[in-house]
Amino acid sequence: MYKNKTILAIVPARGGSKGIKLKNLSLVNKIPLVGLVGNVVKKVDMIDKSIVSTDNEKIRKTALHYGLEAPFVRSKELSGDFVGDVEVLTEALINCEKIYNRRFDILLMLQPTCPLRKPNHIISCIRMIVDQDLDSVWTISKCDSKSHPLKLLNFKEGKLTYYNKAGSKIIARQQLDDLFFRNGAVYAIKRDLLIKKQKLLSKKTGALLIKETMINIDNLWDLELANYLVMK
């Protein structure tokens, strides 16, 4: 709890994954990804409940081992490849409020695929959403100029074109505006934004810029890189 606001941390960790089988159990520094989240949330006293939303028994048992709770099994309808975060979070919130018989004011979505998150990232997001009266807070990282949208290209039927026509006018990187991407470390969302508006983003969404290197694991190369960064 923070300033009388109850906080529920939700770790979405379905069993199906195409890039890496049972990706959420992949090891970084010899610890499963879902376990790394459990280790981090233990260090954030503001969180009232920390749960995993999963359809997989191995993930459930691993989450329990690392201190997360697993009060329900994610429905099959919400365990596919094309299910949105809003639906998963809504199911988790409604189930948890019934099971724990309490209302949660703020939700935290902590994806296991971001293994470099730290407790201070979570704490800062909680403070921002409450102290600044925001609807939600996302963690972001600065986009490398090499991956800027104005430097991207289309390649179709043997023809190369600019993804954005304005890209033809870019001569030096100094011409590029700073852009940012969501790194997946933390999403803090107020209950009303999720339940009443079925959104994670609004005109009152703030951002916590993380300057440290972050990585979001989609494939084996990402996993190898995460292990390298942690060990280094």
Side-chain angles (χ1 to χ4, degrees):
M1 183 175 288
Y2 178 66
K3 294 187 177 180
N4 294 319
K5 302 295 184 182
T6 51
I7 300 169
L8 172 67
I10 300 171
V11 180
R14 69 188 182 95
S17 54
K18 294 295 187 288
I20 305 174
K21 186 177 180 180
L22 283 178
K23 178 172 60 178
N24 291 306
L25 293 181
S26 297
L27 302 181
V28 170
N29 197 22
K30 300 180 181 180
I31 300 175
L33 291 177
V34 72
L36 288 173
V37 187
N39 287 345
V40 170
V41 297
K42 289 175 187 175
K43 301 175 182 178
V44 183
D45 293 337
M46 298 172 174
I47 298 174
D48 296 280
K49 287 288 182 180
S50 303
I51 68 100
V52 65
S53 168
T54 187
D55 60 325
N56 183 273
E57 181 62 15
K58 289 183 179 179
I59 293 176
R60 188 189 75 85
K61 288 182 177 179
T62 302
L64 290 171
H65 177 76
Y66 284 92
L68 298 173
E69 297 185 35
F72 65 93
V73 177
R74 190 194 293 196
S75 61
K76 292 182 179 179
E77 294 78 13
L78 298 182
S79 299
D81 294 332
F82 301 102
V83 176
D85 295 327
V86 168
E87 292 80 8
V88 171
L89 295 176
T90 299
E91 179 194 55
L93 174 62
I94 292 173
N95 281 336
C96 286
E97 289 190 334
K98 289 180 180 178
I99 292 167
Y100 297 121
N101 192 29
R102 66 188 303 185
R103 176 189 173 97
F104 293 98
D105 301 304
I106 296 170
L107 314 177
L108 301 174
M109 179 167 67
L110 306 175
Q111 297 169 319
T113 48
C114 188
L116 302 184
R117 79 165 56 79
K118 299 176 182 177
N120 66 286
H121 299 148
I122 301 173
I123 293 169
S124 295
C125 286
I126 293 172
R127 287 176 174 164
M128 282 182 67
I129 195 171
V130 175
D131 295 346
Q132 299 179 29
D133 191 25
L134 300 169
D135 287 339
S136 62
V137 176
W138 297 16
T139 54
I140 61 173
S141 297
K142 187 177 178 180
C143 182
D144 189 304
S145 62
K146 298 181 183 66
S147 302
H148 195 284
L150 292 182
K151 298 189 77 174
L152 298 181
L153 304 169
N154 281 322
F155 184 60
K156 295 180 179 178
E157 298 177 353
K159 294 182 179 180
L160 195 64
T161 58
Y162 287 102
Y163 174 74
N164 187 316
K165 292 181 180 179
S168 63
K169 299 178 182 179
I170 300 302
I171 299 173
R173 61 182 175 84
Q174 288 78 10
Q175 295 174 269
L176 301 171
D177 294 331
D178 287 341
L179 291 179
F180 305 87
F181 63 92
R182 46 183 172 175
N183 54 41
V186 185
Y187 294 85
I189 309 112
K190 280 188 177 173
R191 185 185 191 281
D192 285 352
L193 180 65
L194 178 70
I195 297 299
K196 293 183 179 180
K197 298 184 179 179
Q198 287 286 282
K199 293 181 179 180
L200 305 183
L201 182 72
S202 78
K203 293 181 179 179
K204 290 182 63 179
T205 293
L208 175 68
L209 177 60
I210 297 178
K211 295 183 178 180
E212 305 104 301
T213 299
M214 302 298 289
I215 189 166
N216 208 302
I217 295 175
D218 288 321
N219 52 49
L220 289 174
W221 163 244
D222 295 332
L223 187 60
E224 289 181 13
L225 180 58
N227 273 287
Y228 169 78
L229 291 172
V230 170
M231 296 301 293
K232 187 174 177 62

